[in-house]
């Protein structure tokens, strides 16, 4: 099946749905796989009118063993074609092993995009760039405090490591299918990555519970067309008294920034 | 259940079994999960007399979806208590997510040790260091050609990134449960990591198909007691005409080096 590039699909879906919001599915407190499934179904149903994408984090399914992964397979079936499925797996391994991970995430579990850890370099990432219409969202500068340990370590020429990651990745074959993960906790890093990669989709986690400033992150991340960003929110929606209202409000705040930015 | 530290268990098992060889289970060419299960059962049965540990790589199970993970759960039951189970998953994520991965790998799937990608820094690794008797084997210098892209990138003070990773990790809480993954393709890197971490278990992948020199890697990796290494081999055993004979010969070659080293 030939498909438009992921960035084009994201732009089209964003326009049609009027949203750059992504529902993060992090079922943390569930006692068993059945409860995970109910959680996902409930939250999807609530947030669906206001989201462009859904991002399950595989860790919270894996902690229930193979039963948890069966739930992930059923959750895939609950996500309509009109929304993008981002599997947050942060996988990374050498060549033929990375190919197996790519098969699992794209071909078996039906991802439109996946998060990828770039530490092992080019030959570990390129297997995630081999399917038309999909994207590999490469960790650049994550939202956790310890991101400073290595991702911000200064290299010989003064650049932080995350900048080398972005610059190198843009030279790899299949680079048109690359996006980046940049924590909403650092608008400066988002602006820097956007400057280096004007057309790449940016996933901006860390809004809400992790302290990222939604408006600052969106302004820093927008591309020249006023798009190119995905804002995943987990606890800010699923932990709200009214998840649907929370999603609506987050979507509205993002669109308000986009409206102002597109007028300027 | 209180258990001896992983390094102590590795040393005891190595002495008792006379082996530092680890069977890598990378079921690459199987058509379905049932075939993966037969492959694992056959190879385990063949190699068991000559190995101290078993290392399934999760990618090759995940590519068969939740059915593949069910097979992993049954393979766990095939590995006797006397052998160490290393789950090669190279996971990495921020704090509470890393905790969920640790629960999956240690509590659900029964790992004695897991491989961990350190890119996100301290708070992403420490959740893997919270269980007595287990170990987190942190990627230092991997065996793939692109390891040079980032792991060997020179920092401001000239150190390659992998050296900073090792030095920083040894200062984290739970550091006694840390080991490192260093590709057998670079005896120099192995010797350097051993110098920095005299007591850490070292996992040395890349012997055989990837071109690592077995004897050079073993000599460089041995600790002061003539132990502290795990040599995983996948295709070199599972692709051999006689897997049991191949495992016996690899075990013999490793023990020959250890015998010479312990006399010098």
């Amino acid at each position: 099946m030939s498909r438009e590039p992921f960035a084009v699909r994201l732009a089209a879906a964003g326009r049609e749905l009027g949203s750059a919001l992504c529902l993060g599915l992090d079922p943390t407190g569930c006692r068993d796989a059945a409860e995970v499934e109910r959680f996902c179904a409930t939250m999807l149903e609530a947030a669906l009118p206001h989201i462009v994408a859904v991002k399950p984090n595989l860790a919270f399914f894996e902690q229930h063993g193979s039963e948890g992964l069966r739930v992930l397979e059923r959750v895939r079936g609950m996500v309509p074609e009109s929304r993008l499925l981002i599997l947050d797996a942060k996988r990374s391994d050498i060549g033929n092993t990375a190919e197996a991970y790519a098969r699992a995430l794209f071909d078996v579990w039906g991802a439109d995009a996946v998060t990828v850890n770039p530490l092992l370099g080019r030959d570990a990432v390129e297997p995630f760039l081999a399917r038309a219409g999909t994207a590999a969202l490469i960790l650049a500068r994550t939202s956790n405090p310890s991101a400073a340990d290595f991702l911000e370590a200064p290299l010989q020429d003064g650049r932080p490591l995350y900048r080398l990651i972005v610059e190198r990745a843009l030279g790899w074959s299949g680079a048109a299918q690359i996006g980046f993960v940049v924590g909403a906790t650092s608008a400066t890093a988002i602006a820097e990555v956007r400057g280096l990669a004007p057309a790449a989709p940016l996933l901006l986690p860390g809004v809400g519970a992790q302290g990222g400033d939604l408006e600052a992150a969106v302004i820093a991340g927008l591309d020249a067309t006023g798009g190119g960003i995905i804002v995943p929110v987990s606890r800010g929606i699923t932990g709200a008294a009214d998840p649907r209202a929370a999603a609506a409000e987050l979507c509205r705040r993002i669109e308000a920034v986009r409206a102002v930015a597109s007028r300027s």
Side-chain angles (χ1 to χ4, degrees), chain A residues 142-190:
Chain A
T142 51
S143 57
N144 58 320
S146 299
D149 281 349
F150 305 123
L151 285 165
E152 293 192 347
L155 301 171
Q156 214 150 38
D157 60 7
R159 280 181 298 182
L161 174 63
Y162 74 80
R163 199 177 159 109
L164 177 68
I165 290 173
V166 173
E167 289 176 351
R168 283 246 160 103
L170 291 170
W172 294 340
S173 71
Q177 285 171 245
I178 287 178
F180 295 99
V181 180
V182 197
T185 42
S186 171
T188 312
I190 296 172

Side-chain angles (χ1 to χ4, degrees), chain A residues 185-253:
Chain A
T185 42
S186 171
T188 312
I190 296 172
E192 190 181 357
V193 174
R194 175 51 76 211
L196 293 167
L202 302 186
L203 183 73
L204 310 175
V207 163
Q210 291 181 62
D213 177 329
L214 177 68
E215 281 75 11
V218 171
I219 290 171
L222 289 174
D223 65 16
T225 73
I229 59 164
I230 306 165
V231 183
V233 177
S234 305
R235 281 168 282 181
I237 297 172
T238 61
D242 183 342
R244 176 164 298 190
E249 172 65 8
L250 286 160
C251 176
R252 189 199 61 70
R253 284 172 60 193

Side-chain angles (χ1 to χ4, degrees), chain A residues 24-29 39-40 55-57 60-61 88 234-235 238:
Chain A
L25 287 175
D26 294 359
T28 49
F39 171 90
C40 292
K55 182 179 76 63
N57 188 307
F60 301 107
F61 296 82
D88 195 357
S234 305
R235 281 168 282 181
T238 61

